[in-house]
Amino acid sequence: MSIDWKTYDPAPFYDELIASRGSPRPVARRLTDYLRSLDDNELQIRKQAADHAILEMGISFTVYSEGENIDRAWPFDIVPRVIPKNEWVGVEAGLVQRLTALNLFIDDVYNEQKIFRDGVMPAYVLEHSRNFREQCRGIHPPHGVWAHICGSDLVRDGDGTLYVLEDNLRVPSGVSYMLENREVTKRVFPEVFENSSILPVDEYPTQLFDMLASISPRPQDYPEIVVLTPGIFNSAYFEHSFLAQRMGAELVEGADLVVGDDDCVYMRTIQGLERVDVIYRRVDDAFIDPEEFNPESLLGVRGLMRAWRKGNVGLANAPGSGVADDKVIYAFVPAMIKYYLDQDPIIPNVPTWLCVNDEHRGYVLGHLEQLVVKPANESGGYGMLVGPHASKKQRAEFAQLIRNDPRNYIAQPTLSLSVAPTLCDEGLEPRHLDLRPFVLQGVRTDVTAGGLTRVAMRRGSLVVNSSQGGGSKDTWIVDEEA
């Protein structure tokens, strides 16, 4: 029995593939016609092929449970998400605009702080920021760029409007899964790729290498680039090793590097010390240099900040860039865009209440059952309250957390997140999703064609994070005119 799109009902949500019961969106028609041509047995064979490919390719992620590290196969749904290229052109422009403004903001924060003096942003957002690094004051990194790699999470509301939900600027992850999702989908549905104009994503490792090379202190075609990882027990270790391999870069841990008397960084090799030009660091600020941050850190390199400050090594993302990776500061990004670029935001923010504001806090405390409340600096979907799905006890506990530390909490409306057809145990069902495109900024700016679509695999759930039961899909940007 084949898929009958007339029985698939996404209502009342906006569906990425289906406009209404039985009516695919024009950009998805070729895909939906193809899926309809497959019977249940063929669909299950394709799903099993994807599962086998993921195991064969070693695509995994690590979750922490009860003090143990558990390695799991990457959860993947074979039905892609499809976005028309003519819509994506605007999204891409909005992402470039946003990261440009964020980098101007970070550079301003660590230097003149004009945005505060001019009254565009209140000083308290910086005074209580957990990710502001005093050690970065007065530094001007190459090209004025601090956040070289950004993963901004996008969500679509019930009326089809795309919003930026948050910006990930510290150590954004997930791009390896975007690339591997495409490889798996090509194996599962090769026929569709032969007959569709789907924009490629496989140039990302080359673009990443070129961006990193652009911040090298020594101008050369092939600078020595390394990927600094916390080690095999980190949840994103698969990605660290994957990107190092794809770029032809060395994967190193802190103990593999040393800062010499000349304040340059060297890598220990069997041939002796070799100079390192650029470090793509996947270690948090607090642990990268025990000389200036956490003195007990074994993950970083003593003297690394000194070498970076003197311009002897490039660091991506730059230390201190996490100051803009704060959900309170997120609320001011539209004002940043207007202030630094004199432009209106192309992609809007989700409406946000700041609990540090007395009026906002009063509204939030009075409407917890309707809102999503998030801590300012957590990630992975942890520490948040989804009001409509929370118990009365949970809402009361969160109300007290807000009163105790209002600066640390923001609230947003519970959006009617878009859905897409997802192959579940019960058959094809709508599941909520988001999208994380990746933006590279150095001497130029590149945006991935699509990104990592994350799916809430549990029926009714809005939490898409893999660590909490979420999965993922391949994301197709389709050129309908080609």
Side-chain angles (χ1 to χ4, degrees), residues 49-300:
D51 293 341
H52 290 155
I54 287 168
L55 291 174
E56 176 189 320
M57 296 162 71
I59 309 171
S60 65
F61 72 104
T62 304
V63 294
Y64 303 111
S65 177
E66 298 177 356
E68 295 183 358
N69 299 323
I70 302 173
D71 212 34
R72 293 181 178 170
W74 180 244
F76 176 71
D77 178 62
I78 62 173
V79 182
R81 175 190 195 153
V82 182
I83 301 172
K85 181 184 175 184
N86 58 8
E87 179 186 21
W88 190 252
V89 169
V91 174
E92 183 177 304
L95 293 170
V96 172
Q97 176 196 60
R98 193 172 182 94
L99 185 55
T100 301
L102 284 165
N103 271 310
L104 289 168
F105 167 73
I106 300 169
D107 199 57
D108 190 15
V109 161
Y110 289 115
N111 290 280
E112 297 180 53
Q113 299 192 354
K114 292 187 296 183
I115 196 168
F116 302 107
R117 292 205 312 268
D118 290 345
V120 177
M121 287 178 65
Y124 72 76
V125 299
L126 188 59
E127 292 166 0
H128 299 281
S129 170
R130 293 184 186 177
N131 295 303
F132 175 77
R133 307 298 179 195
E134 189 68 36
Q135 299 89 336
C136 296
R137 279 188 179 272
I139 295 177
H140 294 280
H143 320 303
V145 175
W146 293 74
H148 307 86
I149 304 114
C150 174
S152 291
D153 294 341
L154 307 181
V155 293
R156 197 190 297 274
D157 200 6
D159 63 358
T161 302
L162 275 173
Y163 294 91
V164 177
L165 184 64
E166 62 181 56
D167 303 293
N168 298 280
L169 300 168
R170 281 176 287 182
V171 191
S173 63
V175 74
S176 62
Y177 300 113
M178 175 196 78
L179 297 169
E180 293 287 52
N181 284 354
R182 177 59 53 86
E183 289 298 317
V184 173
T185 307
K186 282 182 175 179
R187 292 191 186 193
V188 175
F189 297 137
E191 310 92 326
V192 186
F193 281 87
E194 291 176 3
N195 301 310
S196 302
S197 297
I198 303 166
L199 300 191
V201 296
D202 52 7
E203 69 272 20
Y204 180 86
T206 300
Q207 294 173 340
L208 177 60
F209 181 92
D210 290 345
M211 182 278 293
L212 294 171
S214 77
I215 64 172
S216 170
R218 298 189 297 173
Q220 50 188 318
D221 290 337
Y222 296 99
E224 187 66 66
I225 296 173
V226 300
V227 178
L228 176 62
T229 176
I232 60 172
F233 296 111
N234 184 267
S235 61
Y237 183 75
F238 168 82
E239 176 156 300
H240 306 166
S241 58
F242 175 91
L243 291 174
Q245 183 183 45
R246 289 293 180 97
M247 287 194 294
E250 296 291 341
L251 181 66
V252 300
E253 296 183 26
D256 299 319
L257 303 178
V258 62
V259 175
D261 294 337
D262 58 355
D263 290 331
C264 294
V265 181
Y266 295 89
M267 174 172 53
R268 294 184 171 97
T269 74
I270 56 174
Q271 288 85 25
L273 296 178
E274 291 186 12
R275 172 112 181 244
V276 171
D277 297 300
V278 181
I279 300 174
Y280 177 22
R281 54 115 183 173
R282 300 298 295 259
V283 176
D284 193 73
D285 285 357
F287 302 100
I288 60 169
D289 184 352
E291 187 175 282
E292 300 213 22
F293 296 111
N294 187 337
E296 298 180 359
S297 173
L298 301 177
L299 302 178

Side-chain angles (χ1 to χ4, degrees), residues 358-431:
D358 292 343
E359 184 179 343
H360 287 200
R361 184 169 64 254
Y363 178 85
V364 171
L365 292 173
H367 297 81
L368 281 177
E369 72 282 357
Q370 302 171 16
L371 303 173
V372 176
V373 183
K374 304 175 184 178
N377 294 288
E378 292 290 337
S379 60
Y382 292 105
M384 60 186 276
L385 176 85
V386 182
H389 297 170
S391 66
K392 187 174 181 180
K393 180 183 176 183
Q394 289 171 325
R395 292 197 294 268
E397 290 172 349
F398 243 81
Q400 193 57 49
L401 290 173
I402 291 169
R403 292 187 185 99
N404 291 344
D405 186 8
R407 164 60 175 84
N408 192 44
Y409 291 93
I410 62 107
Q412 296 171 330
T414 305
L415 297 180
S416 178
L417 293 188
S418 66
V419 296
T422 303
L423 195 59
C424 307
D425 293 338
E426 301 82 5
L428 209 62
E429 295 190 357
R431 289 292 186 268

